[in-house]
Amino acid sequence: AQRLEQLGIDVLNISVGVYETRMTSIEPISFAQGWRTDIIRAVRDEVKLPVIANNLVREPAIAEKMLADKLVDFVGVGRALFADECWGNKAIDGTMNIRKCISCLHCFSSLTKNAPAGLPAECAVNPRFCRELRYPDYPATFGGKKVVVVGGGPAGLNAARTLKKRGADVVLFEKREEIGGQLVLGKVPPCKEKIGWVADFYQRELKALGADVRLGTEATAELIEKEKPDALVVATGGVPIVPGALKGVDGPNVYGVEDILSGGAALQGKQVVVVGAGMTGLETAETLAKQGNQVTVVDMLKRPAPKEYPTNVGDVMSRLKGVPLMLGQELKEIASNNVLLKDVESGEEKSVPADAVVLAIGYKPSHPLADALAGKITPLAVVGDANDVANIAGATRSAFDAAYDLFG
């Protein structure tokens, strides 16, 4: 930097890491806002040149502090502009609701998949990202239309917001006492607090838009029909997959992911086997280990979370040191104090001690309300995990697409 200054350059843009270092170059969800401060300062203190730098800024207050502390002359924002293209104007205003980037890396993951087909990146929380010409803002042409949305997870919340911005009257039913759906559980594992920002955004947004949000209300076909809606959006999510034919699966020592992350099953000091080495299983294992349990993860797969973006997998795995992964193993039986595994290649069977077993083998769509009301209310859209189990990005995008064009 000092040598570049001598050569007469005008400004320094201080970056960190390269693609090979993955996490330090493009940070996953576990990194805190402002974590690069000491690195930036190390350069800033040695030059007189103007400095620009990114510092995982998600909130204007972090940017303002960088300026006030004379850490930089210009703040780089980066991915936060993917999540909210109005971030700068909202920062100037100071009172507007910013949709914050959660550092989930879906933008990079999607680009890896889309680029070979000539398609752009996607954003998990902003479904209009790179599709602004296809969806030019929100023309309010749904005035006079009433829509019932069932489910307050990311799909239902985005559908409700989109419909309100397009002028419809919206009634949203959520059976729990808070909105968020799987987001409520998703923010529980270590370093996943940013997931909560998604529900926080919709909480403020739907209130400002005047949506009728009815918490603690489980929607029924009769209740929905009583509202006399012009359309229905079903976003009731999926249900956990439970292998019913597996011996011992209905035992008292068998739990689901929701039991663990909700705090319903307070396991501590136990030998726990987590079945499933996807991201949900790994994050649940991390949660259980932090609670003082001896955890083992088993899966038929040969490597953990093979369909997920490698940086996200590496991030969780870096904190799972000491948690053995038994891969290529089929679960054959659950007993009161152990599980029986079978090696998928050799066929060798082995017993692993287990006081508790947690099933993290995924979800499947569930939409009984849509089935009950099919043909009675049109249009009717099934979105999010109720239609096709995916992540936040999939839920948000499917809900937005359906809601935006619900009445054509």
Side-chain angles (χ1 to χ4, degrees), residues 169-295:
D169 292 325
V170 174
V171 178
L172 186 149
F173 291 111
E174 168 52 50
K175 66 181 179 180
R176 296 185 178 92
E177 293 295 338
E178 63 178 321
I179 63 168
Q182 291 297 317
L183 300 172
V184 176
L185 301 177
K187 67 181 181 181
V188 172
C191 306
K192 295 295 293 292
E193 297 85 0
K194 293 186 184 74
I195 293 293
W197 289 354
V198 180
D200 292 344
F201 168 78
Y202 286 113
Q203 182 87 45
R204 296 187 293 266
E205 196 78 350
L206 294 181
K207 181 178 180 180
L209 290 170
D212 183 356
V213 179
R214 303 180 191 178
L215 300 177
T217 306
E218 184 164 2
T220 62
E222 294 74 23
L223 181 60
I224 293 169
E225 288 184 291
K226 188 177 179 181
E227 292 291 328
K228 296 183 170 28
D230 297 295
L232 173 65
V233 177
V234 176
T236 46
V239 294
I241 296 172
V242 179
L246 180 67
K247 186 176 180 180
V249 75
D250 55 352
N253 62 331
V254 180
Y255 303 91
V257 170
E258 293 189 12
D259 297 321
I260 305 303
L261 299 184
S262 68
L267 301 181
Q268 190 171 12
K270 304 288 187 181
Q271 288 183 310
V272 184
V273 168
V274 174
V275 183
M279 284 299 290
T280 299
L282 297 177
E283 290 169 356
T284 303
E286 183 183 3
T287 304
L288 287 162
K290 191 172 182 180
Q291 293 170 348
N293 297 288
Q294 185 178 336
V295 184

